mmCIF file of all heavy atoms in Angstrom:
data_model
loop_
_atom_site.group_PDB
_atom_site.id
_atom_site.type_symbol
_atom_site.label_atom_id
_atom_site.label_comp_id
_atom_site.label_asym_id
_atom_site.label_seq_id
_atom_site.Cartn_x
_atom_site.Cartn_y
_atom_site.Cartn_z
ATOM 1 N N ASN A 1 7.541 101.154 -11.359
ATOM 2 C CA ASN A 1 6.726 100.151 -11.960
ATOM 3 C C ASN A 1 7.238 99.781 -13.401
ATOM 4 O O ASN A 1 6.575 99.853 -14.353
ATOM 5 C CB ASN A 1 5.265 100.693 -12.131
ATOM 6 C CG ASN A 1 4.264 99.667 -12.562
ATOM 7 O OD1 ASN A 1 4.502 98.426 -12.461
ATOM 8 N ND2 ASN A 1 3.124 100.191 -13.289
ATOM 9 N N LEU A 2 8.465 99.440 -13.403
ATOM 10 C CA LEU A 2 9.069 99.244 -14.722
ATOM 11 C C LEU A 2 8.529 97.951 -15.376
ATOM 12 O O LEU A 2 8.096 97.061 -14.820
ATOM 13 C CB LEU A 2 10.649 98.966 -14.421
ATOM 14 C CG LEU A 2 11.452 100.208 -14.278
ATOM 15 C CD1 LEU A 2 12.725 99.940 -13.580
ATOM 16 C CD2 LEU A 2 11.588 100.908 -15.595
ATOM 17 N N LYS A 3 8.492 98.090 -16.749
ATOM 18 C CA LYS A 3 7.995 97.045 -17.605
ATOM 19 C C LYS A 3 9.034 96.554 -18.547
ATOM 20 O O LYS A 3 9.942 97.279 -18.852
ATOM 21 C CB LYS A 3 6.792 97.533 -18.432
ATOM 22 C CG LYS A 3 5.701 98.245 -17.512
ATOM 23 C CD LYS A 3 4.580 98.902 -18.396
ATOM 24 C CE LYS A 3 3.453 99.402 -17.605
ATOM 25 N NZ LYS A 3 2.390 100.111 -18.460
ATOM 26 N N PRO A 4 8.916 95.252 -19.067
ATOM 27 C CA PRO A 4 9.876 94.761 -19.933
ATOM 28 C C PRO A 4 10.029 95.670 -21.170
ATOM 29 O O PRO A 4 11.184 95.769 -21.717
ATOM 30 C CB PRO A 4 9.282 93.461 -20.443
ATOM 31 C CG PRO A 4 8.572 92.997 -19.204
ATOM 32 C CD PRO A 4 7.879 94.197 -18.627
ATOM 33 N N GLU A 5 8.972 96.360 -21.563
ATOM 34 C CA GLU A 5 9.064 97.335 -22.737
ATOM 35 C C GLU A 5 9.927 98.570 -22.459
ATOM 36 O O GLU A 5 10.423 99.185 -23.346
ATOM 37 C CB GLU A 5 7.671 97.817 -23.115
ATOM 38 C CG GLU A 5 6.626 96.733 -23.225
ATOM 39 C CD GLU A 5 5.992 96.490 -22.004
ATOM 40 O OE1 GLU A 5 5.000 97.092 -21.684
ATOM 41 O OE2 GLU A 5 6.314 95.382 -21.344
ATOM 42 N N ASP A 6 10.368 98.733 -21.163
ATOM 43 C CA ASP A 6 11.310 99.864 -20.859
ATOM 44 C C ASP A 6 12.783 99.421 -21.075
ATOM 45 O O ASP A 6 13.622 100.335 -20.838
ATOM 46 C CB ASP A 6 11.112 100.194 -19.417
ATOM 47 C CG ASP A 6 9.705 100.764 -19.035
ATOM 48 O OD1 ASP A 6 9.204 101.602 -19.929
ATOM 49 O OD2 ASP A 6 9.068 100.546 -18.038
ATOM 50 N N THR A 7 12.960 98.203 -21.321
ATOM 51 C CA THR A 7 14.335 97.685 -21.560
ATOM 52 C C THR A 7 14.957 98.431 -22.808
ATOM 53 O O THR A 7 14.409 98.478 -23.865
ATOM 54 C CB THR A 7 14.376 96.223 -21.878
ATOM 55 O OG1 THR A 7 13.927 95.562 -20.644
ATOM 56 C CG2 THR A 7 15.789 95.759 -22.210
ATOM 57 N N ALA A 8 16.075 99.159 -22.484
ATOM 58 C CA ALA A 8 16.845 99.867 -23.464
ATOM 59 C C ALA A 8 18.062 100.458 -22.825
ATOM 60 O O ALA A 8 18.229 100.307 -21.686
ATOM 61 C CB ALA A 8 15.916 101.007 -23.989
ATOM 62 N N VAL A 9 18.893 101.054 -23.777
ATOM 63 C CA VAL A 9 19.926 101.868 -23.302
ATOM 64 C C VAL A 9 19.417 103.296 -23.079
ATOM 65 O O VAL A 9 18.828 103.829 -24.026
ATOM 66 C CB VAL A 9 21.143 101.960 -24.306
ATOM 67 C CG1 VAL A 9 22.297 102.804 -23.686
ATOM 68 C CG2 VAL A 9 21.790 100.491 -24.390
ATOM 69 N N TYR A 10 19.594 103.745 -21.999
ATOM 70 C CA TYR A 10 19.118 105.078 -21.610
ATOM 71 C C TYR A 10 20.295 106.127 -21.712
ATOM 72 O O TYR A 10 21.364 105.941 -21.076
ATOM 73 C CB TYR A 10 18.520 105.133 -20.232
ATOM 74 C CG TYR A 10 17.163 104.473 -20.173
ATOM 75 C CD1 TYR A 10 17.047 103.112 -20.309
ATOM 76 C CD2 TYR A 10 15.936 105.299 -20.022
ATOM 77 C CE1 TYR A 10 15.759 102.556 -20.325
ATOM 78 C CE2 TYR A 10 14.787 104.769 -20.036
ATOM 79 C CZ TYR A 10 14.613 103.327 -20.133
ATOM 80 O OH TYR A 10 13.264 102.842 -20.202
ATOM 81 N N TYR A 11 19.993 107.201 -22.479
ATOM 82 C CA TYR A 11 20.973 108.269 -22.701
ATOM 83 C C TYR A 11 20.612 109.534 -22.083
ATOM 84 O O TYR A 11 19.484 110.011 -22.208
ATOM 85 C CB TYR A 11 21.308 108.396 -24.176
ATOM 86 C CG TYR A 11 21.809 107.162 -24.947
ATOM 87 C CD1 TYR A 11 20.921 106.206 -25.460
ATOM 88 C CD2 TYR A 11 23.207 107.035 -25.020
ATOM 89 C CE1 TYR A 11 21.328 105.291 -26.085
ATOM 90 C CE2 TYR A 11 23.664 105.904 -25.654
ATOM 91 C CZ TYR A 11 22.776 105.040 -26.264
ATOM 92 O OH TYR A 11 23.260 103.985 -26.969
ATOM 93 N N CYS A 12 21.615 110.210 -21.504
ATOM 94 C CA CYS A 12 21.339 111.515 -21.061
ATOM 95 C C CYS A 12 21.682 112.540 -22.096
ATOM 96 O O CYS A 12 22.703 112.361 -22.847
ATOM 97 C CB CYS A 12 22.335 111.813 -19.942
ATOM 98 S SG CYS A 12 22.209 113.436 -19.158
ATOM 99 N N ASN A 13 20.919 113.602 -22.218
ATOM 100 C CA ASN A 13 21.241 114.629 -23.202
ATOM 101 C C ASN A 13 21.050 116.022 -22.544
ATOM 102 O O ASN A 13 20.012 116.145 -21.729
ATOM 103 C CB ASN A 13 20.296 114.516 -24.405
ATOM 104 C CG ASN A 13 20.397 115.596 -25.415
ATOM 105 O OD1 ASN A 13 19.644 116.601 -25.302
ATOM 106 N ND2 ASN A 13 21.396 115.546 -26.318
ATOM 107 N N ALA A 14 21.928 116.940 -22.875
ATOM 108 C CA ALA A 14 21.698 118.313 -22.323
ATOM 109 C C ALA A 14 22.235 119.310 -23.198
ATOM 110 O O ALA A 14 23.178 119.107 -23.937
ATOM 111 C CB ALA A 14 22.397 118.327 -20.946
ATOM 112 N N GLU A 15 21.601 120.329 -23.307
ATOM 113 C CA GLU A 15 21.964 121.507 -23.954
ATOM 114 C C GLU A 15 22.858 122.446 -23.076
ATOM 115 O O GLU A 15 22.442 122.990 -22.000
ATOM 116 C CB GLU A 15 20.857 122.347 -24.583
ATOM 117 C CG GLU A 15 21.372 123.558 -25.492
ATOM 118 C CD GLU A 15 20.124 124.273 -26.024
ATOM 119 O OE1 GLU A 15 19.404 124.935 -25.196
ATOM 120 O OE2 GLU A 15 19.942 124.212 -27.272
ATOM 121 N N ILE A 16 24.207 122.474 -23.375
ATOM 122 C CA ILE A 16 25.021 123.134 -22.428
ATOM 123 C C ILE A 16 25.866 124.201 -23.177
ATOM 124 O O ILE A 16 26.510 124.052 -24.266
ATOM 125 C CB ILE A 16 26.057 122.012 -21.873
ATOM 126 C CG1 ILE A 16 25.232 121.096 -20.986
ATOM 127 C CG2 ILE A 16 27.099 122.752 -20.954
ATOM 128 C CD1 ILE A 16 26.040 120.031 -20.559
ATOM 129 N N ALA A 17 26.135 125.360 -22.421
ATOM 130 C CA ALA A 17 26.943 126.475 -22.968
ATOM 131 C C ALA A 17 28.202 126.293 -22.180
ATOM 132 O O ALA A 17 28.224 126.426 -20.942
ATOM 133 C CB ALA A 17 26.308 127.720 -22.908
ATOM 134 N N GLU A 18 29.369 126.156 -22.895
ATOM 135 C CA GLU A 18 30.669 126.229 -22.130
ATOM 136 C C GLU A 18 31.113 127.636 -21.787
ATOM 137 O O GLU A 18 30.657 128.569 -22.433
ATOM 138 C CB GLU A 18 31.680 125.554 -22.914
ATOM 139 C CG GLU A 18 31.620 124.030 -23.036
ATOM 140 C CD GLU A 18 32.798 123.523 -23.802
ATOM 141 O OE1 GLU A 18 33.884 123.352 -23.267
ATOM 142 O OE2 GLU A 18 32.668 123.336 -25.107
ATOM 143 N N VAL A 19 32.044 127.708 -20.791
ATOM 144 C CA VAL A 19 32.580 128.967 -20.530
ATOM 145 C C VAL A 19 33.513 129.272 -21.768
ATOM 146 O O VAL A 19 34.366 128.648 -22.063
ATOM 147 C CB VAL A 19 33.446 128.972 -19.188
ATOM 148 C CG1 VAL A 19 34.364 130.165 -19.108
ATOM 149 C CG2 VAL A 19 32.616 128.730 -18.140
ATOM 150 N N ALA A 20 33.269 130.431 -22.424
ATOM 151 C CA ALA A 20 34.030 130.818 -23.616
ATOM 152 C C ALA A 20 33.743 132.290 -23.862
ATOM 153 O O ALA A 20 32.880 132.968 -23.196
ATOM 154 C CB ALA A 20 33.498 130.038 -24.825
ATOM 155 N N ILE A 21 34.573 132.795 -24.749
ATOM 156 C CA ILE A 21 34.373 134.280 -25.108
ATOM 157 C C ILE A 21 33.065 134.386 -25.663
ATOM 158 O O ILE A 21 32.385 135.412 -25.369
ATOM 159 C CB ILE A 21 35.499 134.662 -26.026
ATOM 160 C CG1 ILE A 21 36.854 134.496 -25.484
ATOM 161 C CG2 ILE A 21 35.267 136.181 -26.383
ATOM 162 C CD1 ILE A 21 37.121 135.267 -24.288
ATOM 163 N N VAL A 22 32.584 133.533 -26.454
ATOM 164 C CA VAL A 22 31.274 133.529 -27.049
ATOM 165 C C VAL A 22 30.611 132.186 -26.786
ATOM 166 O O VAL A 22 30.837 131.113 -27.565
ATOM 167 C CB VAL A 22 31.325 133.690 -28.618
ATOM 168 C CG1 VAL A 22 29.828 133.762 -29.051
ATOM 169 C CG2 VAL A 22 32.010 135.044 -28.940
ATOM 170 N N PRO A 23 29.812 132.170 -25.693
ATOM 171 C CA PRO A 23 29.194 130.862 -25.319
ATOM 172 C C PRO A 23 28.006 130.481 -26.267
ATOM 173 O O PRO A 23 27.186 131.197 -26.480
ATOM 174 C CB PRO A 23 28.673 131.039 -23.820
ATOM 175 C CG PRO A 23 29.359 132.385 -23.411
ATOM 176 C CD PRO A 23 29.649 133.138 -24.686
ATOM 177 N N VAL A 24 28.210 129.294 -26.794
ATOM 178 C CA VAL A 24 27.218 128.764 -27.820
ATOM 179 C C VAL A 24 26.620 127.517 -27.163
ATOM 180 O O VAL A 24 27.367 126.492 -27.033
ATOM 181 C CB VAL A 24 27.776 128.609 -29.128
ATOM 182 C CG1 VAL A 24 26.815 127.940 -30.094
ATOM 183 C CG2 VAL A 24 28.402 129.893 -29.688
ATOM 184 N N PRO A 25 25.430 127.441 -26.829
ATOM 185 C CA PRO A 25 24.830 126.167 -26.452
ATOM 186 C C PRO A 25 24.882 125.019 -27.387
ATOM 187 O O PRO A 25 24.559 125.236 -28.582
ATOM 188 C CB PRO A 25 23.286 126.638 -26.154
ATOM 189 C CG PRO A 25 23.293 128.080 -26.004
ATOM 190 C CD PRO A 25 24.420 128.501 -26.972
ATOM 191 N N ARG A 26 25.276 123.853 -26.983
ATOM 192 C CA ARG A 26 25.426 122.722 -27.811
ATOM 193 C C ARG A 26 24.790 121.537 -27.168
ATOM 194 O O ARG A 26 24.711 121.485 -25.870
ATOM 195 C CB ARG A 26 26.864 122.349 -28.099
ATOM 196 C CG ARG A 26 27.518 123.393 -28.971
ATOM 197 C CD ARG A 26 28.949 123.022 -29.339
ATOM 198 N NE ARG A 26 29.607 123.904 -30.261
ATOM 199 C CZ ARG A 26 30.335 124.915 -29.916
ATOM 200 N NH1 ARG A 26 30.554 125.300 -28.570
ATOM 201 N NH2 ARG A 26 30.943 125.713 -30.819
ATOM 202 N N ASN A 27 24.439 120.592 -27.842
ATOM 203 C CA ASN A 27 23.830 119.354 -27.325
ATOM 204 C C ASN A 27 25.071 118.337 -27.066
ATOM 205 O O ASN A 27 25.898 118.060 -27.838
ATOM 206 C CB ASN A 27 22.840 118.624 -28.266
ATOM 207 C CG ASN A 27 21.505 119.234 -28.147
ATOM 208 O OD1 ASN A 27 20.964 119.510 -27.115
ATOM 209 N ND2 ASN A 27 20.953 119.665 -29.374
ATOM 210 N N TYR A 28 24.944 117.744 -25.808
ATOM 211 C CA TYR A 28 25.869 116.803 -25.466
ATOM 212 C C TYR A 28 25.214 115.495 -25.037
ATOM 213 O O TYR A 28 24.049 115.382 -24.558
ATOM 214 C CB TYR A 28 26.688 117.163 -24.269
ATOM 215 C CG TYR A 28 27.661 118.498 -24.568
ATOM 216 C CD1 TYR A 28 27.184 119.682 -24.490
ATOM 217 C CD2 TYR A 28 28.915 118.232 -24.909
ATOM 218 C CE1 TYR A 28 27.995 120.794 -24.820
ATOM 219 C CE2 TYR A 28 29.776 119.201 -25.186
ATOM 220 C CZ TYR A 28 29.360 120.529 -25.140
ATOM 221 O OH TYR A 28 30.172 121.641 -25.389
ATOM 222 N N TRP A 29 25.847 114.379 -25.283
ATOM 223 C CA TRP A 29 25.216 113.084 -24.969
ATOM 224 C C TRP A 29 26.206 112.262 -24.001
ATOM 225 O O TRP A 29 27.444 112.324 -24.161
ATOM 226 C CB TRP A 29 25.059 112.200 -26.188
ATOM 227 C CG TRP A 29 24.102 112.778 -27.245
ATOM 228 C CD1 TRP A 29 24.249 113.708 -28.197
ATOM 229 C CD2 TRP A 29 22.645 112.437 -27.133
ATOM 230 N NE1 TRP A 29 22.981 113.877 -28.781
ATOM 231 C CE2 TRP A 29 22.092 113.046 -28.190
ATOM 232 C CE3 TRP A 29 21.861 111.538 -26.380
ATOM 233 C CZ2 TRP A 29 20.736 112.928 -28.535
ATOM 234 C CZ3 TRP A 29 20.630 111.399 -26.719
ATOM 235 C CH2 TRP A 29 20.059 112.083 -27.684
ATOM 236 N N GLY A 30 25.640 111.606 -23.134
ATOM 237 C CA GLY A 30 26.361 110.696 -22.354
ATOM 238 C C GLY A 30 26.520 109.306 -23.147
ATOM 239 O O GLY A 30 25.932 109.140 -24.217
#
């Protein structure tokens, strides 16, 4: 039920920890 007001660029965001000696979660953006 999309509306004209939904028009926008949609971005994905996630908090991800990489494989590392010390994994630190970071925010990533598409």
Side-chain angles (χ1 to χ4, degrees):
N1 191 24
L2 283 160
K3 303 176 179 180
E5 308 90 82
D6 296 318
T7 296
V9 176
Y10 284 70
Y11 298 91
C12 175
N13 174 264
E15 186 179 66
I16 298 172
E18 286 186 83
V19 173
I21 302 300
V22 182
V24 179
R26 294 184 174 89
N27 279 309
Y28 292 86
W29 292 90

